[in-house]
Amino acid sequence: MSQPVAAQSDSTSVATRDSSAPTAAELLDFVRRSAADKELIASLPLDPEGRTWVRLEGPGGSEAWLIGWPPGTGTGWHDHAESHGAFATGVGELKENSLAVRLPASGWKTLELNEGVDRERQLGPGNGRAFGKHHVHEVLNESAEHVVSVHAYYPPLPLIRRFSRSGAVLRLEQVERPGDWQ
């Protein structure tokens, strides 16, 4: 049975946190500075067929990645579980489709989304965004050129939940652990 979900803010909650942990704003600053580093961006080996990535040293123990996106590639709908994060484009333009809704952390397989929860952003060179825990989105390169971006997450990703979407129905399809992508 699906559960209806209404639109609400997707900002990071104000909760007690480790004072040494990087905030979403600090992660955003890091990814923007890294995306502006032309030498770093040029160092990524690009594959014409699939995404490429190199792990970077993120601030305050965060997990960071330099990612190359060939034309027509994307992530599919997913979240980053208990991690907050940020990403910025260094070269080219990425499209982010996201949901402006806080989803339940667990205990569901299918949700029916209410109208008005969809958001779309175009992120060109130097542009980025930060997001909170359980932020559901997909990132796409719809251009004819390679795109390179920088992503950072804290705490380091414990898992990624992958979803399928058909109209207003969001369905949990798979849970990936770090060994699946590292």
Side-chain angles (χ1 to χ4, degrees):
M1 175 131 230
S2 62
Q3 303 172 12
V5 179
Q8 51 185 297
S9 171
D10 69 349
S11 62
T12 306
S13 64
V14 178
T16 305
R17 68 173 191 89
D18 177 353
S19 63
S20 66
T23 65
E26 290 166 335
L27 292 178
L28 182 59
D29 181 59
F30 168 80
V31 297
R32 283 183 173 151
R33 282 185 287 108
S34 298
D37 182 338
K38 293 186 185 321
E39 189 175 315
L40 175 66
I41 297 301
S43 73
L44 181 66
L46 301 177
D47 180 333
E49 301 294 320
R51 287 190 303 148
T52 54
W53 54 88
V54 173
R55 188 155 183 175
L56 303 173
E57 186 67 33
S62 65
E63 180 174 344
W65 297 91
L66 179 63
I67 301 176
W69 307 75
T73 59
T75 60
W77 288 96
H78 68 283
D79 76 0
H80 305 99
E82 295 294 323
S83 299
H84 61 272
F87 69 99
T89 304
V91 172
E93 182 174 272
L94 290 173
K95 176 182 177 183
E96 181 198 34
N97 294 317
S98 64
L99 301 176
V101 63
R102 169 81 62 189
L103 298 180
S106 62
W108 64 275
K109 294 278 187 199
T110 303
L111 293 173
E112 186 174 339
L113 303 169
N114 290 339
E115 288 185 36
V117 299
D118 289 295
R119 299 292 180 266
E120 179 181 310
R121 290 177 178 83
Q122 297 295 134
L123 300 166
N127 291 323
R129 60 121 52 242
F131 52 85
K133 298 176 181 181
H134 305 291
H135 174 70
V136 176
H137 67 166
E138 67 175 348
V139 180
L140 308 160
N141 175 6
E142 295 182 331
S143 76
E145 304 296 326
H146 235 94
V147 175
V148 178
S149 58
V150 180
H151 303 245
Y153 312 96
Y154 189 87
L157 295 173
L159 59 91
I160 293 176
R161 296 185 302 177
R162 299 226 173 251
F163 306 98
S164 63
R165 174 129 186 232
S166 178
V169 177
L170 187 70
R171 183 180 319 278
L172 176 64
E173 297 291 346
Q174 181 178 1
V175 176
E176 294 177 1
R177 308 260 179 228
D180 297 329
W181 65 79
Q182 293 182 355

